[in-house]
Amino acid sequence: MSAHRYRTRRLLLRRFPGVRVVGEHASRHGWPKADETVRGGRVIEIIWDLGPEVALHCVDDAVTGNSYVYTSSDVPNFAEAYLHPAEEEIETWSVGELIREVDRATDPVQRGKAIVRMAIAASYETDEEVARRMSEALRSDDYALRDLTLWAMSICSYPVFRPLLRDIARSDSSEVLRQRAQMLLEAYDGAGVEES
């Protein structure tokens, strides 16, 4: 599989871990398992072969406690076409629902975790509603919320975040967060995330 294959947006599953439920979905369609990644004795990603050009991926991210699926292909239209059955048949969160979860959060840690979930499901193109909530959270006085938001910005890397990350790297009260913001800016550089 090419490292530069097209990847669709991620669909955040309502259940964690998600490998079993996605495996049942793949079985119903007769899609064979193509590969799996195991870390620490635990399956963290399974890939199913949907045809000669398309794969379905399910990732169980134990660090965030979330599972998501996406499809990949050398042909973008094929990948997008195969994502629709997963979206219709597997219980996933919509971005709108995840934005409402961020807005409803009653404490900084809960809000930060909701922001991470929202970032996983966010589109690759800048979504103004997502960007606004993440930007506001990064300006919070709460360390945990800023920390979780930096984490989310490593998942959802919008160009509009660069000035905010520079501010954190220069002047945050926490040296740890200053260093993380600087590392994230370097990662954006490496990934070609341009200034907005």
Side-chain angles (χ1 to χ4, degrees), residues 83-94:
L83 187 65
H84 294 298
E87 196 166 18
E88 291 171 3
E89 297 173 27
I90 300 171
E91 290 187 48
T92 62
W93 291 90
S94 72

Side-chain angles (χ1 to χ4, degrees), residues 90-155:
I90 300 171
E91 290 187 48
T92 62
W93 291 90
S94 72
V95 174
E97 290 173 313
L98 292 165
I99 288 171
R100 287 190 291 279
E101 291 291 309
V102 170
D103 293 345
R104 283 190 211 124
T106 57
D107 68 73
V109 171
Q110 182 186 22
R111 185 174 177 88
K113 289 179 178 179
I115 285 171
V116 168
R117 288 191 300 275
M118 179 182 68
I120 291 169
S123 67
Y124 295 129
E125 297 78 34
T126 302
D127 178 318
E128 295 300 326
E129 293 297 312
V130 169
R132 181 169 61 81
R133 282 157 179 84
M134 291 172 72
S135 298
E136 289 169 357
L138 197 59
R139 292 185 189 106
S140 169
D141 290 335
D142 188 87
Y143 172 89
L145 180 53
R146 292 195 318 277
D147 184 32
L148 286 164
T149 303
L150 283 174
W151 193 357
M153 287 179 175
S154 72
I155 298 166

Side-chain angles (χ1 to χ4, degrees), residues 41-83:
R42 183 178 187 157
V43 176
I44 61 165
E45 180 177 10
I46 295 184
I47 302 171
W48 290 270
D49 185 6
L50 310 189
E53 293 290 333
V54 187
L56 173 69
H57 304 250
C58 178
V59 176
D60 279 345
D61 182 352
V63 175
T64 67
N66 292 289
S67 297
Y68 58 88
V69 296
Y70 65 93
T71 53
S72 68
S73 177
D74 290 329
V75 182
N77 290 346
F78 288 3
E80 291 292 344
Y82 275 94
L83 187 65

